[in-house]
Amino acid sequence: MTTTLVRQTKSTCSYCGVGCGVIIESKGDQITGVRGDPDHPANFGRLCTKGSTLHLTAAAPVSLQARLLQPQRRAERGAAPQTVGWDTALDEAADRFADIVQRHGPDAVGFYISGQLLTEDYYVFNKLAKGLIGTNNVDTNSRLCMSSAVAGYKQTLGADAPPNCYDDVEHAEVIFIVGSNTAYAHPILFRRIEDARRANPKLKLIVADPRRTETADVADLYLPLLPGTDVALFHGMLHLLMWDGHIDPAYIAAHTTGFDALKSTVRDYTPKEAARICGIDEAALVQAAQWFGSSKSTLSLYCQGLNQSSSGTAKNAALVNLHLATGQIGKPGAGPFSLTGQPNAMGGREVGGLANLLSAHRDMANPEHRAEVARLWGVADVPATPGKTAIEMFDAAARGEIKALWISCTNPAQSLPDQPTVRRALQRAEFVVVQEAFSTTATCAYADLLLPATTWGEKDGTVTNSERRISRVRPAVPPPVQARHDWQAVVGFARRLESRLPGRLNGQATLFPYATPEEIWNEHRESTRGRDLDITGMSYAMLERAPQQWPLPQGATAGKARLYEDGRFPTPDGRARFANVAYTPVAEPREARYPFSLTTGRLRDHWHGMSRTGTLGRLFGHVPEPAVEMNAQDMVRLGLKDGDLVYVTSRRAALLLPAQASQQVASAQAFIAMHWGEEYLSGCTSTGERVYGVNALTTPAFCPTSKQPELKHAAVKILKA
Ligand code: SF4
């Protein structure tokens, strides 16, 4: 009798930016188990509900997972897709893209990709668009996730580099969590915060959030600020820090610029005025500032509550201001630490996979940076015209300006705001390619060409987590049937396109000579030489031994746990810059016709649009169905009881769903989780168009600097159905 041995493969969780290490157990071609990797410094063996059930989502029969197994093409929109071979599929994609580029120019095509992709996938997409085709129209769902954090860091510290590491949780005397339900969105980091509080009962936890979330519920001080008022909160705190002598004049003088201009702005944010804007107790504001300023080490953790906002960059920058003014940065336990939503939004930023970025944190707007990248790729130039960001790209497609869209590993028909416009864009585009692991996402219905992608447990490459740590993602089993790695599909397409559009090859046989993900990563590594994220001292072989933090330049033996310890910043004069930003209210303040502030967020056990977690019954045990959570008094006022169906209506659409009383939600506010899509939550526009999920309601208004949309707030009315 033969027995099949259980194989153990070290890899990384595919869900959030904590980036936990996992050990995948497999037998033959089947994933049989998953456990936390005790050696991985992000989690030391722990996993949350989502991570610990990864094997169950992967081990179900591929039919139950609704895997996309073969390339498919539709003869026409609405027709059933027909199976085709990879050569036919990629030939057609190359023909259609080349034809559109030749007729309308390179900016008539766009690529919308994902923070779920691996760094190697991201790299080839970016090179395909900016290098081969000559358009900067490549953006990603990281635009919906971290672009305000990127802009906030660059505006103040000079580079898109989170200065902290997870160890800082153990060194902090005060942890200030703002705009983040860390207990649900980054559970393993939250376990670490709980451990740190147990080890040091004097550690103070301040949480600012419009909802009294599970994170807020255990805070020493909870600030229930009104949606979108974070800048006023931070300016009010800085006002108090100055007044109480908690700022660090020596640090400000030696390491920063711009404090005087900011000082005159925050003078107007008296405690009374800031508390009024934020809708919080003045005493609570005073307490928060006092704890923040008097501690030896204050660590701020923040996420989408700051980022997904029409003033997202200002919010991020105003929080960094607090750390610069108090010198709470560049030392253990102190600093502004953005928590990355997705597993590899960081890796995507590192390769420049956004419409305004270039490889290795270079800027599109900088001619020298464009020339450097053109040299690295061996092309004549990288175009100077700014690319279209997520919202702009779909608006342009809805207007008929972008005629071909390639969408990879993301579901814009559910996740972008203003769903009616997104669906018009997908319908109007002449050619839509969707590269996906799962066949059931809402966007698949609009694809002319569906390309089956590999997924967690099958993929091979790297990701970077919130603390700048690069980890290997390794395959435990072969992909099913004809699914291909994302980078392989891109390389196959790019080589075909090169023969149809040879103009930008600059005499090279191909820009895509890669046979393995390591070859792609090595090219990316070279692009980082001399940059703030220099990883020229790193290699796949080193990552085989252990994950590493960047920077790790040639000659170094370990990465940097925390940045700016010497008080020097990556700005032209080496000084950090205070951002003199103004408070601006939410894009859609509530008013008489739309009297509720709708906020959105995560559930504990689901991820994004549920294409993976939604295949597992047990993950519905915590929250079995969608509901709009409301304050109990508001429900009484509207004559509602738990379970009553209501219409939640914004200026764009209405959804029908049950109401549910929640002690977490303040009066005149409401909350709907972001995950529920087509199968669970539907409604219509005023013209009768069907729409699905909470982003049917949300506004496409975005931050003018980061272009990140305000997914966290919309004005709505709620009426009994
Ligand atoms: Fe995965 Fe995030 Fe949970 Fe870690 S905390 S197991 S990375 S979902």
Side-chain angles (χ1 to χ4, degrees), residues 358 369-382 506 508:
L358 286 172
H369 286 182
R370 291 200 302 276
E372 283 170 15
V373 172
R375 265 197 305 280
L376 281 162
W377 288 344
V379 297
D381 60 44
V382 170
N506 218 15
Q508 299 177 85

Side-chain angles (χ1 to χ4, degrees), residues 326-582:
T326 51
Q328 295 275 15
I329 187 168
K331 59 184 186 180
F337 190 3
S338 61
L339 301 179
T340 318
Q342 301 191 83
N344 199 31
M346 287 282 288
R349 287 142 69 179
E350 288 156 20
V351 302
L354 286 160
N356 56 322
L357 297 180
L358 286 172
S359 307
H361 289 175
R362 292 177 176 86
D363 278 322
M364 179 71 60
N366 184 327
E368 280 172 31
H369 286 182
R370 291 200 302 276
E372 283 170 15
V373 172
R375 265 197 305 280
L376 281 162
W377 288 344
V379 297
D381 60 44
V382 170
T385 310
K388 294 220 166 11
T389 59
I391 303 291
E392 296 168 328
M393 190 181 291
F394 283 84
D395 280 352
R399 290 194 303 271
E401 293 165 16
I402 287 186
K403 296 175 189 303
L405 283 167
W406 185 304
I407 297 159
S408 176
C409 200
T410 186
N411 186 13
Q414 180 177 339
S415 56
L416 281 175
D418 191 10
Q419 286 294 301
T421 301
V422 175
R423 283 161 193 258
R424 262 196 303 285
L426 291 165
Q427 276 157 353
R428 183 152 187 198
E430 287 177 21
F431 190 59
V432 177
V433 179
V434 175
Q435 192 178 358
E436 249 299 343
F438 303 100
S439 61
T440 46
T441 75
T443 309
C444 285
Y446 296 88
D448 297 294
L449 199 59
L450 285 157
L451 301 178
T454 53
T455 185
W456 179 86
E458 301 153 10
K459 295 194 73 156
D460 188 3
T462 57
V463 289
T464 309
N465 73 3
S466 299
E467 60 166 359
R468 295 170 280 106
R469 191 178 297 280
I470 300 176
S471 295
R472 285 280 279 116
V473 169
R474 295 181 180 89
V477 294
V481 197
Q482 288 207 31
R484 277 193 190 172
H485 299 311
D486 292 282
W487 70 266
Q488 280 178 325
V490 173
V491 167
F493 168 73
R495 288 187 184 155
R496 284 167 170 81
L497 201 58
E498 285 174 335
S499 65
R500 290 159 174 83
L501 298 173
R504 289 182 57 83
L505 281 174
N506 218 15
Q508 299 177 85
T510 177
L511 302 183
F512 297 86
Y514 322 109
T516 64
E518 185 175 4
E519 289 173 15
I520 301 170
W521 189 85
N522 286 346
E523 186 175 305
H524 158 58
R525 174 181 61 183
E526 189 53 34
S527 79
T528 68
R529 189 176 293 280
R531 304 287 305 161
D532 67 299
L533 72 168
D534 193 327
I535 53 168
T536 48
M538 225 183 263
S539 64
Y540 257 38
M542 184 186 254
L543 293 172
E544 292 303 328
R545 295 191 289 277
Q548 301 289 337
Q549 282 178 286
W550 60 254
L552 199 159
Q554 199 163 9
T557 52
K560 261 184 169 259
R562 63 186 66 77
L563 306 178
Y564 316 133
E565 287 171 305
D566 58 359
R568 282 197 65 74
F569 293 85
T571 56
D573 62 3
R575 290 164 177 263
R577 302 173 287 227
F578 281 100
N580 186 13
V581 293

